[in-house]
Amino acid sequence: MLFYDCATAPNPRRARMFIAEKGLDIETRQISIAKGEQLSGAFKAVNPNATIPVLVTNEGTVLTENLGIAAYLEARCPEPPLMGRTADEKGLVLMWNSLVEQQGGMPIAETLRNTHPAFADRAIPGPVNHAQIPELAQRGAVRVGLFFDLLETRLSESAYIAGPDFTLADISAFVFVDFARVIKARIPQENSATLAWFEGIGSRPSAQL
Ligand SMILES: N[C@@H](CCC(=O)N[C@@H](CS)C(=O)NCC(=O)O)C(=O)O
């Protein structure tokens, strides 16, 4: 297998954590977004969508989305389970992972990419340039606050995001919450359940990578 990673970006970090939690050691190539390497002809020959992460499987299949990468690795290496064991658990993990992507990952990206000069004309990842729309950043910042509310409500009733066990949904939420520092958004001091959960995930070896 071959894993295309970018040490500075949140979505590759999600896949990197998943790989580490599975105890896998996969050959890795770094793609520098800062240097625009994702837009090079060589990388677009691997992933025409020009996004990272990418996992090329032993069979040569090119997986370009976190969910696809996670599903493949979970099927290949079921232990420890990170996407649920029972039908209900599997449903809950994907449900929460989707909520975290839509209500956390998207507004954080919207806020950063529609304001930061480094993303001028790069408001959306991919091979086509898109201009920034500053109003989307304003809306994104409000939605990030709502995301912190969602996490606090959930983690006040559940040890982990999708239930009693650590899963893919925790990896996604942890990486997005940590990355929110780039838009100066942090877990509110009064959100004690989220702060305790964040500290717990942050102490796992996979979170140090
Ligand atoms: N939906 C993809 C998202 C991948 C993505 O957007 N990756 C970002 C890095 S966090 C990227 O490749 N950005 C390239 C760019 O900004 O040009 C996934 O689930 O992995």
Side-chain angles (χ1 to χ4, degrees), residues 3 7 11 14 24 27 57 82 87 91 104 110-111 119 148 155 160 165-166 187:
F3 177 54
N11 281 302
R14 292 166 64 198
L24 297 170
E27 183 186 345
T57 72
L82 295 174
E110 234 171 32
T111 306
F119 295 103
F148 285 134
L155 292 166
Y160 292 99
D165 300 312
F166 173 84
I187 302 166

Side-chain angles (χ1 to χ4, degrees), residues 3 12-26 28 69 73 79-80 82 166 171 204-209:
F3 177 54
R13 186 182 182 198
R14 292 166 64 198
R16 196 158 69 238
M17 270 186 83
F18 194 95
I19 290 166
E21 289 286 344
K22 286 287 181 189
L24 297 170
D25 186 15
I26 300 177
T28 299
I69 293 169
L73 293 175
E79 296 296 329
L82 295 174
F166 173 84
I171 293 177
R204 298 175 82 95
S206 66
Q208 318 311 316
L209 302 172

Side-chain angles (χ1 to χ4, degrees), residues 9-12 14 33 38 50-53 64-66 101 113 119 122 125-126:
N11 281 302
R14 292 166 64 198
I33 292 177
Q38 78 279 22
T51 56
I52 311 139
T64 65
E65 299 292 309
N66 258 287
E101 285 186 343
R113 298 188 76 111
F119 295 103
R122 296 287 308 151

Side-chain angles (χ1 to χ4, degrees), residues 108-185:
I108 293 165
E110 234 171 32
T111 306
L112 175 68
R113 298 188 76 111
N114 284 291
T115 47
H116 199 286
F119 295 103
D121 282 325
R122 296 287 308 151
I124 296 176
V128 178
N129 284 352
H130 292 278
Q132 293 177 322
I133 303 175
E135 289 82 2
L136 288 178
Q138 287 170 17
R139 187 186 69 183
V142 173
R143 291 185 66 216
V144 173
L146 296 175
F147 177 55
F148 285 134
D149 294 344
L150 173 77
L151 291 183
E152 184 62 14
T153 301
R154 178 60 177 162
L155 292 166
S156 299
E157 64 188 21
S158 176
Y160 292 99
I161 301 275
D165 300 312
F166 173 84
T167 69
L168 169 70
D170 295 288
I171 293 177
S172 300
F174 172 81
V175 169
F176 291 141
V177 168
D178 196 24
F179 191 67
R181 69 186 181 282
V182 299
I183 56 162
K184 300 186 173 28

